[in-house]
Each structure stands twice: as C-alpha cells, then as structure tokens.
C-alpha cells in the first residue's frame, strides 16, 4: 500500500513538473499559457527564455536571434500604441551571455535591417517599446522585405486584433536550406513567419515569406507552418484544430519607390 502511494505521489510530481516546464516563465503571452515546443533537435541547443512586459522570447545562442517572439496582442494596448511616437533604442540584451548574443557591431554596415519580431508599433508604452528594441527580438532582415511586405503583414495583424479584441501572435525566423549566411556572428534566416490564433473564432493561420527583396508571402495553416519550421507553436491545440484555416486579410504592401 505504501509503495503504491509513493508511486502515485512520484507520478503526480512528475506531471506537475512537466506542466510547469511547458508553461514557461511568461505564460500570459501564449495560447493556454503553453510555451511552444521545439521538435527539430538542431534548434534546441543553447536556448533561453526571456520575458518582457507584453511579449516573450525564446532566444537561440546558436543563431543569436530569437527562435520566436510571442504576444497576446490586445486592442486596448494597440489603442495606446497609436499615440506613442517611435523612439529607436537598439541594444544588445544584457540578460544573455556575450558568447550567445548579437551585438550592434554585428549589424553595422551589413546591409540588413534589424528586423523586429514583436513589432515596436505593437507596444503600448515607452518601457515596452524600449524592450522591443533588444537585439534578442531582432533578426537580420532584407531591408526592402522589412519595410514593404513585412510592414504590410504587421499592419494586417494589428487591424485583425483591433477587430477581434485580442489575438495570440507568434513571429519568428526559419532557417531552411544547406547554406546559411551570417552578418557578424548572427545567422540570417531564409524565411520569416507570423502565426496568429483567434480565441474568438477558435482558429489560426500564418503568413510565411522568404527573407528577400520582392518576396511574395504565402498563407498556410498552423499545422503546415509547424511542419515546415520544426516547432510546435501552440501545443495545447489539437492537430485537427491546427488544420482549421482562419481567414486572413489581404496584405497591403508598401511598394518601394522605383
């Protein structure tokens, strides 16, 4: 009887520990409070969770970029963000060891933008805006891509959140292909994605775009995106739920001047 009781207690403790691990340090930014789960072992090395006021990051010390940035994007925060002038304050992340983080010098004269994953335009106050300028929230992004098609996708997500009241948003880089470019010591992603989930509609979808000038975005289900990038972004959802395609708005891109 005692042995059975001890076995049950140990099982309960292990389940509790597993649940705590999956929740992460900042569950408010994730669907059902569940941290994404890395399925591709190549992405799993030297990762570290970073929690900020209105977004959370899991950072890779190998790529020196986020693997993702997550937001619970709320209409009331966006209303505050609209009245907040942008004040750029790019900075290296002091919470990360120098051997794993990006530095401003890595991006200098690289020709790439420091591309936000959680956008500065989503931030409701000055403290949150400054946090968004950490290099732990940045990837090397093609400048035209960042300022045109990507800016259009970010704007479409904000409009959706204003209409829905709230969305869960996970944004990140993908490293696909045999060769990977570097700027300084930072890996340049081949693609970028932005996944959204609407609690009101109980459906999600994603944009996926090559990190290149003139790239045309694709839309896909959450299941398709997760299979492509090797990360279970929303582990509390079933595969059936992830196959339901949320209707995404047409993106208005800011076309470059000739």
């Amino acid at each position: 009887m005692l042995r059975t009781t001890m076995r049950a207690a140990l099982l309960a403790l292990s389940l509790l520990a597993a649940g705590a691990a999956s929740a992460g340090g900042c569950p408010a930014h994730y669907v059902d409070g569940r941290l994404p789960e890395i399925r591709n072992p190549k992405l799993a090395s030297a990762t570290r969770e970073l929690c900020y006021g209105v977004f959370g990051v899991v950072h890779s010390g190998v790529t020196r970029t986020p693997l993702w940035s997550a937001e619970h994007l709320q209409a009331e925060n966006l209303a505050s963000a609209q009245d907040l002038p942008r004040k750029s304050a790019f900075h290296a992340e002091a919470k990360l060891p120098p051997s794993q983080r990006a530095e401003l010098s890595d991006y200098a004269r690289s020709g790439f933008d420091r591309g936000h994953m959680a956008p500065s335009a989503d931030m409701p106050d000055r403290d949150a805006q400054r946090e968004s300028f950490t290099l732990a929230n940045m990837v090397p992004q093609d400048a035209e891509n960042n300022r045109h098609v990507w800016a259009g996708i970010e704007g479409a997500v904000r409009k959706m959140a204003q209409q829905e009241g709230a969305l869960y948003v996970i944004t990140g880089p993908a490293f696909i292909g045999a060769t990977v470019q570097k700027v300084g010591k930072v890996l340049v992603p081949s693609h970028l994605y932005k996944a959204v989930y609407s609690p009101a509609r109980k459906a999600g979808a994603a944009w996926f775009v090559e990190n290149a000038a003139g790239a045309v975005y694709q839309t896909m289900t959450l299941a398709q995106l997760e299979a492509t990038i090797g990360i279970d972004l929303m582990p509390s959802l079933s595969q059936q739920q992830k196959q339901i395609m949320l209707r995404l708005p047409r993106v208005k891109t800011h076309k470059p001047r000739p």
Side-chain angles (χ1 to χ4, degrees):
M1 180 69 178
L2 179 60
R3 196 174 292 173
T4 303
T5 303
M6 288 181 66
R7 195 178 297 125
L10 287 170
L11 177 60
L13 285 171
S14 67
L15 290 172
L16 183 63
S22 65
C26 37
H29 306 319
Y30 298 99
V31 177
D32 296 322
R34 290 281 301 276
L35 194 69
E37 297 174 2
I38 299 169
R39 303 299 190 198
N40 182 348
K42 293 180 180 179
L43 299 176
S45 299
T47 58
R48 186 181 300 245
E49 185 183 17
L50 300 170
C51 294
Y52 302 98
V54 294
F55 68 100
V57 165
V58 165
H59 182 270
S60 168
V62 175
T63 65
R64 303 194 187 211
T65 68
L67 290 182
W68 65 76
S69 295
E71 307 168 78
H72 186 204
L73 191 59
Q74 300 177 65
E76 60 191 46
N77 282 351
L78 290 174
S80 299
Q82 286 180 335
D83 298 326
L84 186 69
R86 174 173 165 138
K87 187 176 181 181
S88 300
F90 294 101
H91 58 278
E93 181 50 71
K95 298 175 186 176
L96 295 170
S99 62
Q100 295 184 6
R101 74 188 183 205
E103 303 288 350
L104 294 173
S105 58
D106 289 313
Y107 286 88
R109 296 177 295 281
S110 69
F112 284 88
D113 278 2
R114 293 163 291 197
H116 283 73
M117 295 292 91
S120 64
D122 292 357
M123 302 299 141
D125 55 49
R126 188 64 71 197
D127 288 342
Q129 188 186 77
R130 187 183 187 283
E131 287 180 334
S132 80
F133 280 91
T134 173
L135 294 184
N137 183 43
M138 306 283 167
V139 302
Q141 188 170 2
D142 177 89
E144 183 185 307
N145 181 285
N146 184 31
R147 300 171 199 184
H148 303 295
V149 65
W150 194 250
I153 291 170
E154 290 177 335
V157 172
R158 282 190 286 274
K159 187 174 181 179
M160 284 180 70
Q162 288 165 336
Q163 292 171 342
E164 299 273 337
L167 290 174
Y168 287 97
V169 185
I170 302 183
T171 309
F175 301 90
I176 298 171
T179 59
V180 180
Q181 187 179 353
K182 278 187 175 183
V183 295
K185 296 180 180 179
V186 183
L187 298 191
V188 179
S190 61
H191 296 76
L192 303 165
Y193 66 85
K194 190 174 285 287
V196 298
Y197 178 76
S198 167
R201 299 178 185 271
K202 299 189 184 306
W207 285 273
F208 189 73
V209 65
E210 186 179 1
N211 185 16
V216 178
Y217 67 83
Q218 307 172 53
T219 58
M220 57 183 65
T221 65
L222 295 176
Q224 289 170 324
L225 176 63
E226 291 178 343
T228 301
I229 64 175
I231 301 173
D232 186 347
L233 295 171
M234 301 178 189
S236 67
L237 303 182
S238 68
Q239 280 301 305
Q240 185 177 6
Q241 288 174 306
K242 293 175 184 180
Q243 295 285 2
I244 300 171
M245 184 77 175
L246 178 67
R247 184 175 180 179
L248 297 176
R250 188 172 181 177
V251 171
K252 294 180 180 179
T253 59
H254 303 266
K255 295 182 179 179
R257 294 177 180 177

